PDB file of all heavy atoms in Angstrom:
ATOM      1  N   ILE A  28       0.828  -1.206   0.000  1.00  0.00           N
ATOM      2  CA  ILE A  28       0.000   0.000   0.000  1.00  0.00           C
ATOM      3  C   ILE A  28       0.862   1.256   0.000  1.00  0.00           C
ATOM      4  O   ILE A  28       0.557   2.244  -0.682  1.00  0.00           O
ATOM      5  CB  ILE A  28      -0.950  -0.004   1.218  1.00  0.00           C
ATOM      6  CG1 ILE A  28      -1.981  -1.136   1.061  1.00  0.00           C
ATOM      7  CG2 ILE A  28      -1.647   1.334   1.371  1.00  0.00           C
ATOM      8  CD1 ILE A  28      -2.874  -1.324   2.285  1.00  0.00           C
ATOM      9  N   LYS A  29       1.950   1.234   0.762  1.00  0.00           N
ATOM     10  CA  LYS A  29       2.859   2.384   0.802  1.00  0.00           C
ATOM     11  C   LYS A  29       3.567   2.564  -0.542  1.00  0.00           C
ATOM     12  O   LYS A  29       3.646   3.673  -1.080  1.00  0.00           O
ATOM     13  CB  LYS A  29       3.905   2.200   1.904  1.00  0.00           C
ATOM     14  CG  LYS A  29       3.376   2.284   3.324  1.00  0.00           C
ATOM     15  CD  LYS A  29       3.148   3.727   3.729  1.00  0.00           C
ATOM     16  CE  LYS A  29       2.834   3.812   5.220  1.00  0.00           C
ATOM     17  NZ  LYS A  29       2.557   5.201   5.632  1.00  0.00           N
ATOM     18  N   ALA A  30       4.095   1.464  -1.070  1.00  0.00           N
ATOM     19  CA  ALA A  30       4.888   1.530  -2.297  1.00  0.00           C
ATOM     20  C   ALA A  30       4.031   1.805  -3.530  1.00  0.00           C
ATOM     21  O   ALA A  30       4.452   2.504  -4.454  1.00  0.00           O
ATOM     22  CB  ALA A  30       5.666   0.227  -2.486  1.00  0.00           C
ATOM     23  N   TYR A  31       2.806   1.270  -3.529  1.00  0.00           N
ATOM     24  CA  TYR A  31       1.929   1.403  -4.695  1.00  0.00           C
ATOM     25  C   TYR A  31       0.549   1.881  -4.232  1.00  0.00           C
ATOM     26  O   TYR A  31      -0.402   1.095  -4.150  1.00  0.00           O
ATOM     27  CB  TYR A  31       1.812   0.057  -5.419  1.00  0.00           C
ATOM     28  CG  TYR A  31       3.149  -0.587  -5.711  1.00  0.00           C
ATOM     29  CD1 TYR A  31       3.549  -1.738  -5.018  1.00  0.00           C
ATOM     30  CD2 TYR A  31       4.024  -0.050  -6.641  1.00  0.00           C
ATOM     31  CE1 TYR A  31       4.774  -2.329  -5.271  1.00  0.00           C
ATOM     32  CE2 TYR A  31       5.255  -0.633  -6.897  1.00  0.00           C
ATOM     33  CZ  TYR A  31       5.627  -1.770  -6.202  1.00  0.00           C
ATOM     34  OH  TYR A  31       6.846  -2.353  -6.453  1.00  0.00           O
ATOM     35  N   PRO A  32       0.418   3.157  -3.915  1.00  0.00           N
ATOM     36  CA  PRO A  32      -0.848   3.670  -3.371  1.00  0.00           C
ATOM     37  C   PRO A  32      -2.015   3.601  -4.348  1.00  0.00           C
ATOM     38  O   PRO A  32      -3.166   3.543  -3.925  1.00  0.00           O
ATOM     39  CB  PRO A  32      -0.510   5.122  -2.990  1.00  0.00           C
ATOM     40  CG  PRO A  32       0.695   5.471  -3.798  1.00  0.00           C
ATOM     41  CD  PRO A  32       1.465   4.204  -3.960  1.00  0.00           C
ATOM     42  N   ASN A  33      -1.706   3.613  -5.654  1.00  0.00           N
ATOM     43  CA  ASN A  33      -2.776   3.494  -6.645  1.00  0.00           C
ATOM     44  C   ASN A  33      -3.201   2.033  -6.757  1.00  0.00           C
ATOM     45  O   ASN A  33      -2.396   1.180  -7.150  1.00  0.00           O
ATOM     46  CB  ASN A  33      -2.300   4.018  -8.006  1.00  0.00           C
ATOM     47  CG  ASN A  33      -3.400   3.993  -9.046  1.00  0.00           C
ATOM     48  OD1 ASN A  33      -3.838   2.932  -9.478  1.00  0.00           O
ATOM     49  ND2 ASN A  33      -3.822   5.161  -9.490  1.00  0.00           N
ATOM     50  N   PRO A  34      -4.459   1.707  -6.428  1.00  0.00           N
ATOM     51  CA  PRO A  34      -4.904   0.305  -6.418  1.00  0.00           C
ATOM     52  C   PRO A  34      -4.746  -0.400  -7.763  1.00  0.00           C
ATOM     53  O   PRO A  34      -4.359  -1.571  -7.814  1.00  0.00           O
ATOM     54  CB  PRO A  34      -6.381   0.408  -6.020  1.00  0.00           C
ATOM     55  CG  PRO A  34      -6.504   1.709  -5.313  1.00  0.00           C
ATOM     56  CD  PRO A  34      -5.525   2.619  -5.972  1.00  0.00           C
ATOM     57  N   ASP A  35      -5.022   0.318  -8.856  1.00  0.00           N
ATOM     58  CA  ASP A  35      -4.918  -0.299 -10.179  1.00  0.00           C
ATOM     59  C   ASP A  35      -3.463  -0.636 -10.512  1.00  0.00           C
ATOM     60  O   ASP A  35      -3.171  -1.716 -11.033  1.00  0.00           O
ATOM     61  CB  ASP A  35      -5.489   0.647 -11.250  1.00  0.00           C
ATOM     62  CG  ASP A  35      -6.998   0.843 -11.105  1.00  0.00           C
ATOM     63  OD1 ASP A  35      -7.646  -0.069 -10.575  1.00  0.00           O
ATOM     64  OD2 ASP A  35      -7.501   1.902 -11.522  1.00  0.00           O
ATOM     65  N   TYR A  36      -2.570   0.317 -10.205  1.00  0.00           N
ATOM     66  CA  TYR A  36      -1.157   0.059 -10.479  1.00  0.00           C
ATOM     67  C   TYR A  36      -0.621  -1.041  -9.569  1.00  0.00           C
ATOM     68  O   TYR A  36       0.179  -1.881  -9.990  1.00  0.00           O
ATOM     69  CB  TYR A  36      -0.337   1.343 -10.291  1.00  0.00           C
ATOM     70  CG  TYR A  36       1.121   1.188 -10.684  1.00  0.00           C
ATOM     71  CD1 TYR A  36       1.483   0.893 -11.996  1.00  0.00           C
ATOM     72  CD2 TYR A  36       2.136   1.328  -9.737  1.00  0.00           C
ATOM     73  CE1 TYR A  36       2.813   0.750 -12.354  1.00  0.00           C
ATOM     74  CE2 TYR A  36       3.464   1.179 -10.087  1.00  0.00           C
ATOM     75  CZ  TYR A  36       3.801   0.899 -11.404  1.00  0.00           C
ATOM     76  OH  TYR A  36       5.116   0.734 -11.765  1.00  0.00           O
ATOM     77  N   ARG A  37      -1.084  -1.042  -8.310  1.00  0.00           N
ATOM     78  CA  ARG A  37      -0.658  -2.085  -7.364  1.00  0.00           C
ATOM     79  C   ARG A  37      -1.054  -3.465  -7.886  1.00  0.00           C
ATOM     80  O   ARG A  37      -0.263  -4.409  -7.862  1.00  0.00           O
ATOM     81  CB  ARG A  37      -1.305  -1.834  -6.008  1.00  0.00           C
ATOM     82  CG  ARG A  37      -0.773  -2.744  -4.885  1.00  0.00           C
ATOM     83  CD  ARG A  37      -1.633  -2.599  -3.630  1.00  0.00           C
ATOM     84  NE  ARG A  37      -1.880  -1.197  -3.346  1.00  0.00           N
ATOM     85  CZ  ARG A  37      -3.020  -0.723  -2.854  1.00  0.00           C
ATOM     86  NH1 ARG A  37      -4.018  -1.558  -2.577  1.00  0.00           N
ATOM     87  NH2 ARG A  37      -3.176   0.563  -2.613  1.00  0.00           N
ATOM     88  N   GLU A  38      -2.277  -3.580  -8.398  1.00  0.00           N
ATOM     89  CA  GLU A  38      -2.747  -4.863  -8.918  1.00  0.00           C
ATOM     90  C   GLU A  38      -1.918  -5.297 -10.135  1.00  0.00           C
ATOM     91  O   GLU A  38      -1.565  -6.472 -10.275  1.00  0.00           O
ATOM     92  CB  GLU A  38      -4.223  -4.748  -9.303  1.00  0.00           C
ATOM     93  CG  GLU A  38      -4.840  -6.053  -9.797  1.00  0.00           C
ATOM     94  CD  GLU A  38      -6.314  -5.904 -10.121  1.00  0.00           C
ATOM     95  OE1 GLU A  38      -6.900  -4.845  -9.802  1.00  0.00           O
ATOM     96  OE2 GLU A  38      -6.880  -6.841 -10.700  1.00  0.00           O
ATOM     97  N   LYS A  39      -1.583  -4.318 -10.965  1.00  0.00           N
ATOM     98  CA  LYS A  39      -0.772  -4.618 -12.140  1.00  0.00           C
ATOM     99  C   LYS A  39       0.616  -5.106 -11.737  1.00  0.00           C
ATOM    100  O   LYS A  39       1.155  -6.063 -12.315  1.00  0.00           O
ATOM    101  CB  LYS A  39      -0.654  -3.365 -13.024  1.00  0.00           C
ATOM    102  CG  LYS A  39       0.144  -3.576 -14.287  1.00  0.00           C
ATOM    103  CD  LYS A  39       0.220  -2.293 -15.095  1.00  0.00           C
ATOM    104  CE  LYS A  39       1.068  -2.485 -16.345  1.00  0.00           C
ATOM    105  NZ  LYS A  39       1.181  -1.216 -17.128  1.00  0.00           N
ATOM    106  N   VAL A  40       1.211  -4.433 -10.735  1.00  0.00           N
ATOM    107  CA  VAL A  40       2.532  -4.840 -10.247  1.00  0.00           C
ATOM    108  C   VAL A  40       2.491  -6.262  -9.703  1.00  0.00           C
ATOM    109  O   VAL A  40       3.387  -7.075  -9.971  1.00  0.00           O
ATOM    110  CB  VAL A  40       3.046  -3.853  -9.169  1.00  0.00           C
ATOM    111  CG1 VAL A  40       4.294  -4.410  -8.480  1.00  0.00           C
ATOM    112  CG2 VAL A  40       3.363  -2.499  -9.789  1.00  0.00           C
ATOM    113  N   MET A  41       1.458  -6.575  -8.939  1.00  0.00           N
ATOM    114  CA  MET A  41       1.339  -7.909  -8.363  1.00  0.00           C
ATOM    115  C   MET A  41       1.184  -8.973  -9.450  1.00  0.00           C
ATOM    116  O   MET A  41       1.754 -10.070  -9.356  1.00  0.00           O
ATOM    117  CB  MET A  41       0.152  -7.962  -7.398  1.00  0.00           C
ATOM    118  CG  MET A  41       0.325  -7.092  -6.156  1.00  0.00           C
ATOM    119  SD  MET A  41       1.895  -7.394  -5.301  1.00  0.00           S
ATOM    120  CE  MET A  41       1.734  -9.120  -4.874  1.00  0.00           C
ATOM    121  N   GLU A  42       0.431  -8.645 -10.485  1.00  0.00           N
ATOM    122  CA  GLU A  42       0.294  -9.583 -11.607  1.00  0.00           C
ATOM    123  C   GLU A  42       1.646  -9.804 -12.287  1.00  0.00           C
ATOM    124  O   GLU A  42       2.000 -10.940 -12.640  1.00  0.00           O
ATOM    125  CB  GLU A  42      -0.719  -9.045 -12.607  1.00  0.00           C
ATOM    126  CG  GLU A  42      -2.163  -9.072 -12.119  1.00  0.00           C
ATOM    127  CD  GLU A  42      -3.109  -8.428 -13.110  1.00  0.00           C
ATOM    128  OE1 GLU A  42      -2.623  -7.924 -14.151  1.00  0.00           O
ATOM    129  OE2 GLU A  42      -4.331  -8.416 -12.845  1.00  0.00           O
ATOM    130  N   ASN A  43       2.397  -8.725 -12.463  1.00  0.00           N
ATOM    131  CA  ASN A  43       3.715  -8.833 -13.089  1.00  0.00           C
ATOM    132  C   ASN A  43       4.678  -9.644 -12.217  1.00  0.00           C
ATOM    133  O   ASN A  43       5.511 -10.405 -12.725  1.00  0.00           O
ATOM    134  CB  ASN A  43       4.294  -7.444 -13.359  1.00  0.00           C
ATOM    135  CG  ASN A  43       3.536  -6.702 -14.455  1.00  0.00           C
ATOM    136  OD1 ASN A  43       2.834  -7.322 -15.266  1.00  0.00           O
ATOM    137  ND2 ASN A  43       3.670  -5.389 -14.492  1.00  0.00           N
ATOM    138  N   TRP A  44       4.540  -9.478 -10.874  1.00  0.00           N
ATOM    139  CA  TRP A  44       5.381 -10.254  -9.958  1.00  0.00           C
ATOM    140  C   TRP A  44       5.051 -11.744 -10.061  1.00  0.00           C
ATOM    141  O   TRP A  44       5.942 -12.595 -10.056  1.00  0.00           O
ATOM    142  CB  TRP A  44       5.193  -9.787  -8.519  1.00  0.00           C
ATOM    143  CG  TRP A  44       6.243  -8.827  -8.037  1.00  0.00           C
ATOM    144  CD1 TRP A  44       6.039  -7.596  -7.523  1.00  0.00           C
ATOM    145  CD2 TRP A  44       7.651  -9.024  -8.032  1.00  0.00           C
ATOM    146  NE1 TRP A  44       7.240  -6.999  -7.200  1.00  0.00           N
ATOM    147  CE2 TRP A  44       8.251  -7.863  -7.511  1.00  0.00           C
ATOM    148  CE3 TRP A  44       8.485 -10.070  -8.442  1.00  0.00           C
ATOM    149  CZ2 TRP A  44       9.617  -7.712  -7.362  1.00  0.00           C
ATOM    150  CZ3 TRP A  44       9.861  -9.925  -8.304  1.00  0.00           C
ATOM    151  CH2 TRP A  44      10.412  -8.759  -7.769  1.00  0.00           C
ATOM    152  N   ASP A  45       3.775 -12.063 -10.161  1.00  0.00           N
ATOM    153  CA  ASP A  45       3.370 -13.467 -10.307  1.00  0.00           C
ATOM    154  C   ASP A  45       3.942 -14.063 -11.582  1.00  0.00           C
ATOM    155  O   ASP A  45       4.429 -15.200 -11.595  1.00  0.00           O
ATOM    156  CB  ASP A  45       1.837 -13.577 -10.325  1.00  0.00           C
ATOM    157  CG  ASP A  45       1.218 -13.273  -8.960  1.00  0.00           C
ATOM    158  OD1 ASP A  45       1.951 -13.342  -7.956  1.00  0.00           O
ATOM    159  OD2 ASP A  45       0.011 -12.951  -8.913  1.00  0.00           O
ATOM    160  N   ASP A  46       3.919 -13.277 -12.671  1.00  0.00           N
ATOM    161  CA  ASP A  46       4.474 -13.752 -13.944  1.00  0.00           C
ATOM    162  C   ASP A  46       5.985 -13.954 -13.841  1.00  0.00           C
ATOM    163  O   ASP A  46       6.533 -14.943 -14.348  1.00  0.00           O
ATOM    164  CB  ASP A  46       4.161 -12.748 -15.062  1.00  0.00           C
ATOM    165  CG  ASP A  46       2.674 -12.684 -15.388  1.00  0.00           C
ATOM    166  OD1 ASP A  46       1.959 -13.639 -15.034  1.00  0.00           O
ATOM    167  OD2 ASP A  46       2.243 -11.677 -15.980  1.00  0.00           O
ATOM    168  N   ALA A  47       6.668 -12.992 -13.160  1.00  0.00           N
ATOM    169  CA  ALA A  47       8.118 -13.086 -13.013  1.00  0.00           C
ATOM    170  C   ALA A  47       8.501 -14.283 -12.153  1.00  0.00           C
ATOM    171  O   ALA A  47       9.468 -14.998 -12.443  1.00  0.00           O
ATOM    172  CB  ALA A  47       8.665 -11.792 -12.396  1.00  0.00           C
ATOM    173  N   ALA A  48       7.720 -14.522 -11.088  1.00  0.00           N
ATOM    174  CA  ALA A  48       7.990 -15.660 -10.210  1.00  0.00           C
ATOM    175  C   ALA A  48       7.765 -16.978 -10.942  1.00  0.00           C
ATOM    176  O   ALA A  48       8.528 -17.939 -10.772  1.00  0.00           O
ATOM    177  CB  ALA A  48       7.098 -15.572  -8.969  1.00  0.00           C
ATOM    178  N   ALA A  49       6.715 -17.024 -11.759  1.00  0.00           N
ATOM    179  CA  ALA A  49       6.429 -18.244 -12.531  1.00  0.00           C
ATOM    180  C   ALA A  49       7.542 -18.520 -13.524  1.00  0.00           C
ATOM    181  O   ALA A  49       7.978 -19.672 -13.699  1.00  0.00           O
ATOM    182  CB  ALA A  49       5.091 -18.088 -13.250  1.00  0.00           C
ATOM    183  N   ALA A  50       8.025 -17.475 -14.178  1.00  0.00           N
ATOM    184  CA  ALA A  50       9.112 -17.634 -15.143  1.00  0.00           C
ATOM    185  C   ALA A  50      10.385 -18.104 -14.445  1.00  0.00           C
ATOM    186  O   ALA A  50      11.128 -18.954 -14.968  1.00  0.00           O
ATOM    187  CB  ALA A  50       9.360 -16.313 -15.878  1.00  0.00           C
ATOM    188  N   ALA A  51      10.648 -17.557 -13.248  1.00  0.00           N
ATOM    189  CA  ALA A  51      11.832 -17.965 -12.483  1.00  0.00           C
ATOM    190  C   ALA A  51      11.719 -19.426 -12.069  1.00  0.00           C
ATOM    191  O   ALA A  51      12.714 -20.171 -12.077  1.00  0.00           O
ATOM    192  CB  ALA A  51      12.001 -17.068 -11.268  1.00  0.00           C
TER     193      ALA A  51
END
């Protein structure tokens, strides 16, 4: 919440993290 106060951007970041973790 602190790092990504915009909910839409936060959700996008989390989706990208899931993709990066899956690729790793």
